[in-house]
Amino acid sequence: MKLITGGTGLIGSEFSDGIKINSSDYDLRNKSEVVRMLSDHSPSAIIHTAAKVGGVWANMNYKANFFYDNIMMNSNIIHESAMKRVEKLIVFLSTCVFPNEIEYPLSEEKIHLGPPHISNDAYAYAKRMAEVQVKAYNEQYNTKYFCVIPTNVYGPHDNYDIENGHVLPSLIHKCYLAKKNNTDWEVWGDGSPLREFIFSRDVAKLCDILLQKYEGTEPVILSTSNEISIREVVEMIGKIMGFQGNIKWLADKPNGQYRKPSDNSKLLSIVGDYNFTPLEEGLGETIEHFLQNYGKVRGKI
Ligand code: NAP
Ligand code: GDP
């Protein structure tokens, strides 16, 4: 039986089967709760998506929370899974773990080759330690656990909080309000940074394929390897949402890392050809879901 931590999250909610756990079921920062969860469900596989997650602003302003919550959750899950002899475990990292100054494209063996970007270093170091811990446990306990490293993920069940959310849900929410109130659509930074966006359902499907097919223990990057600038993605959202007002670029807000292009060749060598959801199509579904569920979606309204 497969158990998914973070089952109410952007990625966790896209798994088509398995037992889905959220923070009101068990607070995974607490070791005894993790022990209780494993004893309640006796899973043979765990997909550990639960984490303290946020956009560039939240990462810069709540570094202690990002470090503590993530290191505790990951440490408890990896340790207790090994103690209970859970057969399979996939642990989620993020491309934020990679060094800020590194030769591109990012690839799996480059995680520890230099300090991460200052804007999210606490989150990145906590996540890096999950990779170290998985490796140590594989060596000592002969487990076959591994980490996955998605690039920027988006999809219907995102956190649409304007301050703390990631770029796409924040932009969708702000575009909706600007259109409704006839005000400027405020976008952070200068639009030059580049990102690789992957649809949340693709991430869940790829994880399920890896769970079946991947025999290794080294991390696997989950990405389309298609870069797009924030400016282009703003235009795409504006077009889908029919926004015709003024876009105001806020230069005093953070640009974050300039780019983090990644190499998906290892992923494709395992899963074969995969039809990634085109960004415009995934954004269309996400925006439709947001509009239909406004008031119920995650994040402050
Ligand atoms: P998300 O939407 O913010 O969901 C987080 C999930 O974790 C929620 O189900 C939440 O439960 C649960 N959670 C948080 N704190 C918990 C705790 N103390 N105990 C138990 N559960 C807790 O996250 P996501 O965007 O799906 O991210 C999933 C994974 O992918 C994370 O590991 C993240 O680092 C990684 N990732 C995400 C992105 C991205 O762009 N979103 C990119 C790369 C990597 P509640 O609903 O009860 O709060
Ligand atoms: P990152 O990929 O870890 O940096 O995380 P984000 O999802 O927060 O993406 C940040 C990029 O989007 C930066 O270049 C920001 O300047 C830009 N951006 C533009 N508008 C927004 C916004 O409203 N919210 C966020 N989080 N980022 C924005």
Side-chain angles (χ1 to χ4, degrees), residues 9 100 177:
N100 183 37
L177 292 176

Side-chain angles (χ1 to χ4, degrees), residues 175-195:
C175 182
Y176 167 81
L177 292 176
K179 201 175 154 191
K180 186 169 130 206
N181 302 327
N182 209 9
T183 51
D184 287 348
W185 182 16
E186 294 189 341
V187 184
W188 297 356
D190 61 15
S192 66
L194 302 165
R195 293 291 183 271

Side-chain angles (χ1 to χ4, degrees), residues 55-57 96 120 152 162-163 165-168 170-171 174 186-189 193 195 230 253-257 260:
V56 59
W57 191 90
C96 298
N120 50 28
N152 289 57
I162 285 175
E163 243 177 22
H166 284 114
V167 54
L168 298 188
S170 302
L171 286 178
K174 287 193 287 189
E186 294 189 341
V187 184
W188 297 356
R195 293 291 183 271
I230 298 296
K253 294 285 187 186
N255 256 336
Q257 221 163 334
K260 27 190 182 177

Side-chain angles (χ1 to χ4, degrees), residues 22-229:
N22 68 12
S23 67
S24 61
D25 301 315
Y26 308 94
D27 184 343
L28 304 177
R29 294 171 301 179
N30 184 333
K31 179 184 161 81
S32 64
E33 299 262 297
V34 175
V35 170
R36 185 166 67 82
M37 177 180 83
L38 295 186
S39 135
D40 287 350
H41 299 287
S42 302
S44 55
I46 298 181
I47 308 221
H48 175 45
T49 79
K52 168 113 184 117
V53 181
V56 59
W57 191 90
N59 267 282
M60 287 169 73
N61 288 283
Y62 298 104
K63 288 195 177 188
N65 298 61
F66 276 86
F67 186 85
Y68 181 80
D69 286 13
N70 287 312
I71 206 125
M72 295 305 285
M73 277 191 247
N74 296 338
S75 197
N76 287 332
I77 287 282
I78 298 164
H79 181 77
E80 295 307 330
S81 297
M83 294 305 103
K84 277 272 191 186
R85 307 303 300 170
V86 174
E87 259 171 70
K88 295 183 174 181
L89 171 66
I90 300 184
V91 175
F92 270 70
L93 309 181
S94 151
T95 43
C96 298
V97 300
F98 284 105
N100 183 37
E101 285 180 26
I102 190 80
E103 195 178 314
Y104 292 131
L106 304 175
S107 54
E108 287 83 354
E109 72 287 357
K110 294 180 181 169
I111 296 176
H112 300 285
L113 299 186
H117 192 262
I118 190 82
S119 61
N120 50 28
D121 54 356
Y123 172 77
Y125 276 119
K127 289 269 181 187
R128 278 188 192 187
M129 287 308 107
E131 194 273 336
V132 170
Q133 191 178 356
V134 162
K135 189 161 179 280
Y137 279 59
N138 283 339
E139 284 178 21
Q140 186 171 336
Y141 296 115
N142 209 19
T143 45
K144 283 212 151 188
Y145 300 162
F146 64 94
C147 299
V148 289
I149 315 177
T151 54
N152 289 57
V153 185
Y154 73 100
H157 302 282
D158 217 327
N159 173 5
Y160 292 86
D161 197 276
I162 285 175
E163 243 177 22
N164 295 309
H166 284 114
V167 54
L168 298 188
S170 302
L171 286 178
I172 291 167
H173 193 168
K174 287 193 287 189
C175 182
Y176 167 81
L177 292 176
K179 201 175 154 191
K180 186 169 130 206
N181 302 327
N182 209 9
T183 51
D184 287 348
W185 182 16
E186 294 189 341
V187 184
W188 297 356
D190 61 15
S192 66
L194 302 165
R195 293 291 183 271
E196 293 175 349
F197 294 102
I198 181 166
F199 193 46
S200 50
R201 197 167 308 131
D202 289 341
V203 173
K205 283 186 185 165
L206 288 166
C207 255
D208 277 336
I209 301 174
L210 290 178
L211 198 60
Q212 298 309 320
K213 284 178 102 168
Y214 186 50
E215 296 290 334
T217 52
E218 298 298 321
V220 182
I221 289 176
L222 307 182
S223 92
T224 64
S225 289
N226 288 332
E227 276 188 306
I228 182 168
S229 72

